Amino acid sequence: MTTPFYPRDPLRHPPALTPGYKTSVARSPRAPLIAIDPTLSELTGPSFGPGDIAPGDNDLLTNHARAGESPIGERIILHGAVRDENARPVPGTLVEIWQANAGGRYRHHRDGYLAPLDPNFGGCGRALTDAEGYFAFRTVKPGAYPWRNTPNSWRPAHVHLSLFGTGFAQRLITQCYFEGDPLIAHCAIAQTLPDPRGIEALTARLDLAATLPFDAIAWRFDIVLRGRRETPFENRP
Amino acid sequence: MRPLKETPSQTAGPYVHIGLMPGAAGVAGDAHELGHDIAGPDAEGPRIRIEGRVIDGTGTPVRDAVIEVWQANAAGIHAGPGATVEPGFRGWGRVATDPASGGFAIDTVKPGAVPGPGPGERMQAPHLSLWIVARGINLGLHTRLYFDDEPEANAADPVLSLIEWETRRATLIAARAPDNDALYRFDIRLQGADETVFFEV
């Protein structure tokens, strides 16, 4: 695990300063990032195992619900595979998610939206990918909600995801949107991405084949983490 | 070449604590908080605490940030597959800035020197790798924390040496408290005159 990663493609990620997303203005570094040769500190990273999660952690329909009850909302399965840029599965990696409830309200002291909290919904879950890099969560589809950016800004329905991989340099937090949501085109955060193909990559697709009849609609969201070069320290002088 | 493109980043947003630190966020019934124990009670080496704040370009504390730490143990070894570290040493953890004060505190052990980049090259000075996410940060920020009581190791460090401006290099050096050998001060400035150095790793 000491093989360097491919460099990040700056056109794939939002720049630090995106004035349309106003909060980025005072929180964006202005000096360029300093590129460093990869060291063990970036090429290694935390690892996780079954002891880090509990059974049911990936089931947001039950993990914070009262016994015998479940949250209100559209029942969904959010699933996919974590692979690297070399198209290899990333097994055993931790996937953490968080989201608003079906009404668009987060269980967080800072969220004061009118929509009510759901006593049966915590809005967070975690899973370890299997040997093929596959993960699956059961949850409710989050609602859209307003936020203070322009006077009339609404976030499209989205789920936040946090990913690790095998090296700290792969650390990634992102958001998954849902195919067909008209708010995506109006969202200042989605629109921080410099290339529309980036938004495509963040859009979960309806997956009828994995949908459970009379139970839950499935949405497919595949994730790609940075890949390692084939040869250690290639192209070094 | 790469057959796939990396998934793009999006901001962690204001509610990141629900996902990464659900216990601290008050989501009821979560008994499995991850990342609270960088170095457990059995970890070896001097125990230290690092206190600081994350500050934005207006000088205001960032009260909704999460900082992740990745570090070697006191012998300079990162935990992981194939690595031998003592029981109780994880080397990874996360802290949130305080919603009222914007302050954070990292409790850990002081890491040892770590082998530098490339085969047979010089050692890196003891350091923590930090990754900072928050509302308004579009792509998590990588930086490092070094220690001001390691002047010789810092002077020889291959990463610090890449920073040609001494004033900027200083943004990565935690200051030991005058009256407490186990306490360091380290502020992270996202923007402005004393902007912390962030790395492309």
Side-chain angles (χ1 to χ4, degrees), chain A residues 6-9 12-16 18 21 23-31 33-42 44-48 52 54 64 83-87 94 96-98 106-111 122-124 126 160 162 164 168-169 171-175 177 189-190 192-193 198 201-202 222-224 226 233 236, chain B residues 1-20 22 25 27-30 32-34 56-58 62-64 68-70 78-81 90 92 94 99 114-119 121 124 127 129-131 133-139 141-142 144 159 162-163 165 168 190-191 195 197-201:
Chain A
Y6 297 112
R8 269 194 160 131
D9 176 357
R12 191 70 173 158
H13 297 285
T18 48
Y21 172 29
T23 313
S24 74
V25 173
R27 294 184 169 196
S28 44
R30 296 298 158 84
L33 301 180
I34 292 182
I36 62 175
D37 289 336
T39 79
L40 287 172
S41 304
E42 295 79 35
T44 62
S47 48
F48 299 91
D52 291 315
H64 294 286
R83 290 173 292 173
D84 67 18
E85 290 169 293
N86 297 315
L94 180 68
E96 295 165 295
I97 69 168
W98 66 102
Y106 284 89
R107 186 170 287 282
H108 191 282
H109 68 274
R110 217 173 278 236
D111 188 355
C124 55
R126 50 174 86 113
H160 298 262
S162 160
F164 284 85
F168 207 47
R171 196 73 181 84
L172 181 71
I173 282 179
T174 190
Q175 301 181 25
Y177 304 104
I189 290 176
T192 59
L193 292 171
L202 294 186
D222 291 326
I223 296 161
V224 180
R226 293 173 72 179
F233 304 109
R236 288 177 57 86
Chain B
M1 276 314 290
R2 300 174 250 188
L4 298 178
K5 283 183 173 294
E6 188 188 8
T7 298
S9 171
Q10 294 272 267
T11 179
Y15 311 121
V16 56
H17 318 91
I18 297 174
L20 303 193
V27 178
D30 197 296
H32 305 277
E33 193 92 331
L34 294 175
D56 76 10
T58 73
V62 175
R63 298 178 173 91
D64 50 15
E68 284 199 0
V69 179
W70 176 238
H78 288 92
R90 183 153 207 171
W92 171 79
R94 38 173 70 138
V114 178
E121 294 188 28
Q124 303 182 68
H127 66 276
S129 297
L130 304 179
W131 190 67
V133 294
R135 177 173 67 101
I137 295 177
N138 287 326
L139 176 63
L141 296 167
H142 284 276
R144 287 182 170 206
V159 171
L162 282 174
I163 306 165
W165 314 274
R168 298 216 64 209
L190 299 178
Q191 187 188 96
E195 182 176 307
V197 169
F198 299 103
F199 293 112
E200 181 175 358
V201 302

